[in-house]
Amino acid sequence: MDEDEHAVFLSGNGPLVDVLQEALCRDDVIRNKTKKTEAMRKAKEFIQIIHHFRDDAIAVNTAPIERVAIFDEAQRAWDEVNLSDFMKRKKGILDFNMSEPEFLISILNRHVGWATIVCLIGGGQEINKGESAGISGWFESLRNNYPEWDIYISNKITDNEYIKNNDFETITDGLHCCIIEDLHLSVSLRSFRSENVSEFVKAVLDTDVNKAKALYSQFKSDYPIYITRNLENAKDWLRKKAKGTERYGITATSSAKRLRRYGVWVQNKINAPVWFLNGKDDVRSSYYLEETATEFDIQGLELDWTIVCWDANLRFIDNEFQFYNFSGTKWQHIAKSENILYLKNAYRVLLTRARQGFVIFIPIGDKHDNTMLPEFYNGIYNYLREIGLEEL
């Protein structure tokens, strides 16, 4: 690229964008003695929340300054129904009828000559309404509106984890597709001590006990995972394991509402840049183990060590997971498949955020509290013990 040709990193993940912008800004201030306002301006030019990029493009018909757009978690792009609804409710645009993939391609397609969209995708990361269609929306938009674009994809894109229940030959029919094996990142960079952690978490959530056991036996000496019924023990373990500036924090799903009894209050919103970047002298930082990050706060980010707090929203009964939502004063069974997927993926996100190891806190429960009965929690404790996880 020439100096006058620009690239932009786009994400619909607000906390991720905030943390990256703040981290780049702080680094620029320290390294180059740049004023913070100028450093933040430069950071925001390169890393943008997708909504802002989209809004700027709606206002004009010209091509954007960027010829390269890197779209993080592209499989989570909104479908037409949900994006159109958002544009109608939030922007007052009544005649908008495009999916997010179609609209983003249309923006870059305004360029004369060339433009590139880099779609970064992962499996099992859909945690919001409208994100369950996977990447088929990109292929559909290209086929229906931009068949002249050249498409380069990994050979692993055929896995059901990425294309859901769609047929690969069908969704790519009529498109200029070139398969390049090197486009697949086969080893997780997040859990650098073990490439098997993500597969282990998948096996746990898929109730594949034998596979989970086998995988855990391969990495447990290098990547410790423990369980505990005592949250204070979990906090002490993190403080002892972390060395120097290694960062640690406490996490739970956004629907883990009964954990408030233990001081795990998921309805209290964290300040992501402060929580992820500030030091041990700041009570708002992750180090204090007071404020809890949910799947929405931590997706796309990571810590060295974490506590994953497990509530009764995901129970293990009769050798299978059961899914619940706490509403008002009681738990309600989740029946809708889409919402089951979101809750399962919420736990997948939390269980894959630690670079070096984590501990799972499972409450003992209270037989005098109908919202926290011991049987709500004992199943998952026994299941994880069966897999081989040891108690602190």
Side-chain angles (χ1 to χ4, degrees), residues 3 13 30-31 34 44 48 60 62 80 83 96 126 130 157 169 172 195 207 230 233 274 281 318 320 325 340 371:
E3 289 187 3
N13 185 337
I30 294 172
R31 289 176 180 269
T34 308
K44 288 183 175 180
Q48 296 183 31
V60 297
T62 56
E80 180 180 335
L83 181 56
F96 193 93
E126 303 87 353
I157 206 71
E169 298 298 331
T172 58
E195 63 187 75
T207 64
N230 187 306
N233 287 349
V274 170
D281 58 343
D318 295 332
E320 65 180 12
N325 179 57
I340 288 175
T371 68

Side-chain angles (χ1 to χ4, degrees), residues 80 86 94-95 108-109 142 186 191-192 196 204 208 236 246 269 282 287 336 383:
E80 180 180 335
F86 175 85
L94 303 180
D95 57 348
L108 272 294
N109 196 65
L142 288 163
S186 59
S191 305
F192 63 85
N196 293 323
V204 168
D208 190 339
D236 288 341
E246 291 178 352
K269 182 69 175 176
D282 192 327
Y287 286 120
K336 191 175 181 180
Y383 172 57

Side-chain angles (χ1 to χ4, degrees), residues 203-343:
V204 168
L205 294 175
D206 289 345
T207 64
D208 190 339
V209 176
N210 292 332
K211 184 175 182 179
K213 283 182 178 180
L215 288 167
Y216 184 57
S217 67
Q218 295 177 27
F219 65 74
K220 65 180 182 179
S221 60
D222 296 318
Y223 187 97
I225 304 174
Y226 287 95
I227 55 177
T228 183
R229 313 305 294 268
N230 187 306
L231 185 55
E232 292 306 314
N233 287 349
K235 292 180 179 180
D236 288 341
W237 184 79
L238 255 64
R239 295 186 182 107
K240 292 175 183 177
K241 293 296 293 186
K243 307 299 182 184
T245 59
E246 291 178 352
R247 184 169 286 272
Y248 51 84
I250 187 168
T251 69
T253 63
S254 57
S255 57
K257 295 180 181 178
R258 289 306 295 127
L259 295 179
R260 185 174 62 176
R261 178 172 182 167
Y262 300 92
V264 180
W265 189 18
V266 296
Q267 291 170 287
N268 180 56
K269 182 69 175 176
I270 69 167
N271 182 323
V274 170
W275 197 84
F276 281 99
L277 300 176
N278 284 21
K280 296 179 180 179
D281 58 343
D282 192 327
V283 298
R284 302 165 301 169
S285 77
S286 67
Y287 286 120
Y288 259 75
L289 298 175
E290 290 186 3
E291 296 190 353
T292 304
T294 71
E295 70 273 20
F296 298 112
D297 301 313
I298 205 169
Q299 187 173 44
L301 296 160
E302 62 274 327
L303 306 176
D304 291 291
W305 307 91
T306 66
I307 300 172
V308 178
C309 300
W310 203 297
D311 202 5
N313 55 350
L314 185 57
R315 307 173 195 178
F316 194 78
I317 301 174
D318 295 332
N319 296 316
E320 65 180 12
F321 282 110
Q322 295 186 10
F323 304 82
Y324 289 82
N325 179 57
F326 191 78
S327 178
T329 61
K330 58 185 179 181
W331 292 103
Q332 297 178 346
H333 190 265
I334 298 176
K336 191 175 181 180
S337 60
E338 187 177 41
N339 293 333
I340 288 175
L341 174 66
Y342 294 151
L343 180 55

Side-chain angles (χ1 to χ4, degrees), residues 78-80 83-84 96-104 137 141:
W78 282 358
D79 55 28
E80 180 180 335
L83 181 56
S84 298
F96 193 93
N97 57 358
M98 287 189 280
S99 66
E100 199 157 46
E102 181 181 348
F103 188 47
L104 288 175
S141 297

Side-chain angles (χ1 to χ4, degrees), residues 179-194:
I179 293 179
I180 301 178
E181 293 186 12
D182 290 343
L183 291 178
H184 180 69
L185 179 64
S186 59
V187 178
S188 172
L189 297 181
R190 175 171 290 111
S191 305
F192 63 85
R193 293 193 175 205
S194 174

